[in-house]
Amino acid sequence: YEIEYRMISSEGETIWIRDSVRIVTENDQGKKLRGRMVDITERKLAEEALRRVNRALRVLSHCNEALIRASDEVAFMEEVCRIIVEDGGYRLAWVGFAEKDRGQTVRPVAQKGFGDGYLMKVDISWADTKRGRGPTGTAIRTKKPSIARDILTDPRYAPWREAAAKRGYASSIALPLVSDGISFGALNIYGSEPDAFNEDEVKLLSNLAQDLSYGIMALRARIQLRLLSSQ
C-alpha cells in the first residue's frame, strides 16, 4: 500500500507523511515487507497554498462578472456573498455598514452561508471598545484587513467566541469597504479551519473588497443620476 496522512512529530509539530510498504518475498512462512516513510510536509503546504490562491482568484473573477451585471445594491452584495461561499468554499460571508449612531454599530446588510441566526445574536461596533476591537470594527477603523486566525484562542473574539464556535467558524477576515478615503463598512468572511487565509489570499480578497466598494458607490451614483434626470 501507499498512503498519505498527518502525524505529530517529536517536536510537537503537525507534519505530512507518505507511508509505502512493498512485499519483498512471500512463501509458506509468510511475507517479508519493506516500508518507507517520507516527510512530504513542504509539498503539502505548497499544494494547500496554491489551492487557496486559486479559490480566491475564482471568487474575484466571478464577483467582477457580477459587478458588470449589477443593477441593485442589495442584490449585488448578496450575490457577492453567495459567490464567496459557494465558489470559494467559505463558511459564511456578510457585509456590514458602519452606522453613525451613538453606539457606532455595524449593521448587517447582506449575508450568505451558514449563519443560523449568528448576525442576530452578535452585537458588533466599530468604536474603540470591547465590541469594536474584533476584526470587523478594527478593519473599519484602521481601513486595513483584520484577521482572526484562530477564533477559539484569539482574545479579541471573546464577545462572540461561543456563538461562532457553535456554527463551526474557526477563523475570519474582515476587509474594509472604503470610498474617497472614508471607511463605510466591511466585508466579513469566515473559514471552517484555523488560519484559513494566507498572505496571497488576503491580497486577492482585499482586491475583491475594493471592487465591492466601487460597485456599491457606482450603483448609488447611477440611482442618483436617474433621480436628477427625472427631475
Side-chain angles (χ1 to χ4, degrees):
Y1 65 85
E2 183 170 317
I3 58 175
E4 297 178 357
Y5 53 84
R6 289 176 297 177
M7 63 184 300
I8 305 299
S9 70
S10 57
E11 290 79 22
E13 298 178 348
T14 300
I15 61 174
W16 277 92
I17 294 294
R18 183 174 69 243
D19 188 355
S20 58
V21 172
R22 299 284 182 270
I23 298 174
V24 179
T25 58
E26 183 175 4
N27 52 42
D28 294 339
Q29 275 117 27
K31 299 176 182 177
K32 182 178 180 182
L33 308 176
R34 177 176 295 138
R36 183 173 69 159
M37 299 173 70
V38 180
D39 186 339
I40 58 171
T41 305
E42 186 174 343
R43 191 199 84 196
K44 282 290 186 178
L45 291 177
E47 289 175 354
E48 175 62 18
L50 181 61
R51 183 188 70 82
R52 291 182 177 184
V53 168
N54 283 338
R55 74 175 180 179
L57 280 170
R58 185 168 58 250
V59 167
L60 181 60
S61 174
H62 290 175
C63 286
N64 284 335
E65 292 173 5
L67 173 58
I68 295 172
R69 301 189 303 267
S71 59
D72 177 81
E73 180 179 326
V74 174
F76 169 56
M77 291 187 292
E78 289 181 346
E79 177 65 5
V80 168
C81 290
R82 184 196 67 78
I83 291 170
I84 290 170
V85 171
E86 295 183 6
D87 293 353
Y90 298 101
R91 188 76 169 165
L92 172 71
W94 65 278
V95 177
F97 285 166
E99 297 291 284
K100 290 187 167 58
D101 55 5
R102 188 166 187 169
Q104 293 180 279
T105 57
V106 178
R107 176 172 59 91
V109 291
Q111 67 166 313
K112 287 294 179 181
F114 187 75
D116 192 27
Y118 177 71
L119 296 180
M120 299 292 291
K121 295 179 180 296
V122 296
D123 176 20
I124 301 176
S125 170
W126 59 281
D128 191 11
T129 61
K130 183 178 181 181
R131 288 191 169 271
R133 297 189 187 114
T136 306
T138 302
I140 293 173
R141 280 197 316 278
T142 64
K143 304 174 192 172
K144 296 178 181 178
S146 181
I147 304 174
R149 299 196 177 278
D150 190 341
I151 286 174
L152 294 179
T153 59
D154 192 326
R156 302 174 303 161
Y157 231 93
W160 316 283
R161 181 175 292 121
E162 183 178 354
K166 283 181 179 178
R167 291 159 178 81
Y169 311 149
S171 56
S172 75
I173 183 171
L175 303 143
L177 302 178
V178 180
S179 176
D180 293 329
I182 298 173
S183 183
F184 65 91
L187 169 63
N188 303 272
I189 305 173
Y190 295 71
S192 56
E193 70 276 358
D195 204 12
F197 309 96
N198 63 27
E199 184 177 351
D200 291 331
E201 194 172 10
V202 171
K203 290 179 181 177
L204 291 170
L205 292 176
S206 296
N207 290 338
L208 169 59
Q210 292 173 10
D211 291 346
L212 178 58
S213 301
Y214 170 80
I216 292 170
M217 292 299 122
L219 288 168
R220 290 180 181 179
R222 192 181 302 170
I223 292 171
Q224 185 66 24
L225 182 59
R226 287 174 186 166
L227 288 173
L228 290 172
S229 298
S230 65
Q231 291 172 6

